[in-house]
Amino acid sequence: MIFWDPSVIVPLLVDEPESSTVGSIARDDPVLVVWWGTRIECASALSRLEREGGLAVEETEIARDLLSEALRVLGGGAPDGPSPAPGREASTPSSPPRS
């Protein structure tokens, strides 16, 4: 089990030098653990890449769609907790306080 923070999730969404290595680790990791704020942090990182000229607007939109779908399937990054995809486990180590 590995904690997946945005620094390793973003290379799964866009082409970066470490994308291949991170992709290999993701395929071998049976449990993906993400923080409930992962969606926000990844969206921020993708926006920064776009602002700095590393991504075109269309590439940013595609990466955000991939992120949303991955987190929906894995149940990570959502305050309601995990809902594992078939054949994969997912967990969220902490959730925000509920009102």
Side-chain angles (χ1 to χ4, degrees):
M1 174 179 6
I2 298 172
F3 175 77
W4 290 82
D5 77 0
S7 69
V8 292
I9 293 172
V10 171
L12 293 172
L13 305 171
V14 298
D15 188 27
E16 292 191 340
E18 56 277 347
S19 293
S20 176
T21 301
V22 173
S24 293
I25 294 168
R27 282 186 293 280
D28 293 339
D29 185 9
V31 181
L32 302 178
V33 180
V34 298
W35 176 57
W36 66 265
T38 295
R39 179 182 311 272
I40 297 164
E41 288 190 345
C42 286
S44 175
L46 293 169
S47 293
R48 180 183 46 77
L49 285 170
E50 182 183 328
R51 275 192 318 274
E52 294 174 351
L55 289 177
V57 173
E58 298 80 20
E59 293 172 311
T60 304
E61 290 172 2
I62 291 168
R64 283 189 180 135
D65 289 345
L66 289 170
L67 174 64
S68 291
E69 180 62 13
L71 293 176
R72 184 193 67 76
V73 168
L74 294 172
D80 293 335
S83 57
R88 297 291 302 239
E89 294 179 50
S91 64
T92 307
S94 62
S95 295
R98 296 199 181 250
S99 319

